[in-house]
Amino acid sequence: MRTKIIAGNWKMNTSLADAHILATGVRDGVEHIERIETILCPPSIWLASVAHDIVQKGQYPHLHLGAQNMYYEDAGAFTGEISPVMVKEVAEYVILGHSERTHVFGESIELINNKVHASLAHGITPILCVGEDDQTETSKQIVLDTLRKLLDGVSEEDIKKVVVAYEPVWAIGTGKAATPEYAQEVIGYLREILSSDTRILYGGSANDENAKSYLSQPDIDGLLIGGASLKLKVFLTMCQIADDIGQDLGHQSLHS
Ligand code: PGA
C-alpha cells in the first residue's frame, strides 16, 4: 500500500517567527498522526531553523522536511542557489519543477530533468510537479508527454522513489480546484508510465473541505498544498483526514 503524503508548500511566505510557530504547531499536532507522511517545505532560508524545531532526536518519524527548489550542481559559483549537498543536510524531499519555477523563473524541462537526476543521486526524494496550463481535450496527453521528458533517463527503479505532484496550473492559488474525478482521471493516466509504487499527489486549491474527495480516489496518494498549508488548523485537519482514510484503507485490505 502506498503511504499517503500531505505536503505543505509555504512558498515565499512566513517570517522566521511565523515559521517557528507553524512548524512547532504542526510538529505537535501530528504527533499521533502516524499512518501518513507529513512534509513541510518552508522557504530555504528557514530550513535549518525549522529542521531544528521539528527534528528532535527522531521523535517525529512521520514528519519530514522538503526544500522548495535546488540547483543540480554540488557546489560552485552559482550565486543565489542551494545545492543537493546542502539540501541533504536538512531535508529529505525537494519540490522540483513547480509551475511558479517554470512560469516566473523560466526553468526549462532540461534543467528540471537535471535536478531530478541530481536529487536521486544524492538520495533526496523529488516531489516532481507537472500540470497543464489550460484544461482542454488534450490536457492528459500534454501532461503525460511532459512527465516523460521530465523523467528522461530515470531508471525504473528510481521512478518508484519519485513523488509526482499533478498540479493543473489553472487550479493553483485560484480557488478553482480540479474536480476529484478529473484529477483521478489524469493521475490514473500518468500511472501508466509510472510504477504502481510511485506516489502521485494532487495540488491546486486543495483545502480542508475538498481534501477527503481527492484522498478517496484510488490513484491519488496525497496532496501538495500551498495557501491552506499556512493555516495551522486547516493543515492539521487535512493531515487528520488523510490519516483517517489511511486507516479505512488498511482496515479494508485486512478484510479483503
Ligand atoms: P495552492 O498551491 O494550494 O495555493 O493552490 C498549490 C501549489 O502551488 O503547490
Side-chain angles (χ1 to χ4, degrees):
M1 207 174 75
R2 299 183 296 264
T3 305
K4 291 214 184 303
I5 290 177
I6 294 291
N9 173 10
W10 297 0
K11 307 193 181 186
M12 199 174 71
N13 294 298
T14 66
S15 64
L16 180 55
D18 290 342
H20 172 73
I21 292 168
L22 193 52
T24 51
V26 172
R27 176 197 70 194
D28 297 341
V30 299
E31 208 177 337
H32 302 292
I33 298 185
E34 295 181 341
R35 284 177 293 253
I36 64 163
E37 279 180 48
T38 304
I39 305 171
L40 299 182
C41 305
S44 58
I45 195 166
W46 309 146
L47 265 173
S49 156
V50 171
H52 180 77
D53 284 338
I54 67 167
V55 183
Q56 291 182 337
K57 295 179 194 135
Q59 258 180 301
Y60 304 94
H62 306 285
L63 181 56
H64 305 274
L65 271 188
Q68 295 178 15
N69 181 37
M70 65 173 200
Y71 195 51
Y72 61 83
E73 295 281 2
D74 285 1
F78 303 103
T79 302
E81 294 294 327
I82 58 171
S83 82
V85 177
M86 296 167 185
V87 169
K88 209 184 161 183
E89 288 205 33
V90 285
E92 292 151 82
Y93 291 86
V94 62
I95 299 173
L96 294 178
H98 190 282
S99 66
E100 285 145 22
R101 298 298 318 168
T102 54
H103 287 66
V104 185
F105 300 100
E107 288 197 6
S108 66
I109 288 184
E110 293 71 27
L111 175 64
I112 300 162
N113 176 253
N114 280 332
K115 295 180 180 193
V116 171
H117 283 283
S119 66
L120 290 164
H122 286 275
I124 304 163
T125 302
I127 302 176
L128 177 60
C129 301
V130 65
E132 77 280 20
D133 288 347
D134 307 297
Q135 191 175 10
T136 65
E137 281 183 6
T138 54
S139 292
K140 269 197 315 200
Q141 199 54 47
I142 290 170
V143 175
L144 183 67
D145 291 345
T146 310
L147 186 59
R148 276 210 175 97
K149 291 182 196 154
L150 290 168
L151 289 171
D152 189 37
V154 177
S155 70
E156 272 182 35
E157 215 33 50
D158 275 348
I159 284 183
K160 291 183 190 165
K161 299 179 197 155
V162 173
V163 174
V164 172
Y166 167 57
E167 299 207 306
V169 178
W170 48 268
I172 296 178
T174 58
K176 290 187 209 143
T179 64
E181 294 73 23
Y182 177 74
Q184 162 59 35
E185 190 186 327
V186 178
I187 288 175
Y189 195 61
L190 298 185
R191 201 172 281 296
E192 286 178 19
I193 66 153
L194 302 170
S195 150
S196 57
D197 294 330
T198 303
R199 286 178 292 174
I200 314 181
L201 318 181
Y202 167 76
S205 300
N207 56 38
D208 50 344
E209 281 166 20
N210 59 26
K212 189 170 179 191
S213 60
Y214 293 116
L215 294 166
S216 313
Q217 301 293 327
D219 284 299
I220 302 184
D221 303 317
L223 298 167
L224 180 57
I225 307 158
S229 72
L230 295 167
K231 299 175 190 150
L232 177 61
K233 251 182 96 178
V234 172
F235 186 72
L236 288 176
T237 302
M238 296 169 87
C239 293
Q240 189 63 60
I241 290 169
D243 196 55
D244 291 347
I245 288 176
Q247 182 181 30
D248 291 351
L249 292 175
H251 190 73
Q252 273 169 23
S253 65
L254 277 179
H255 292 84
S256 61

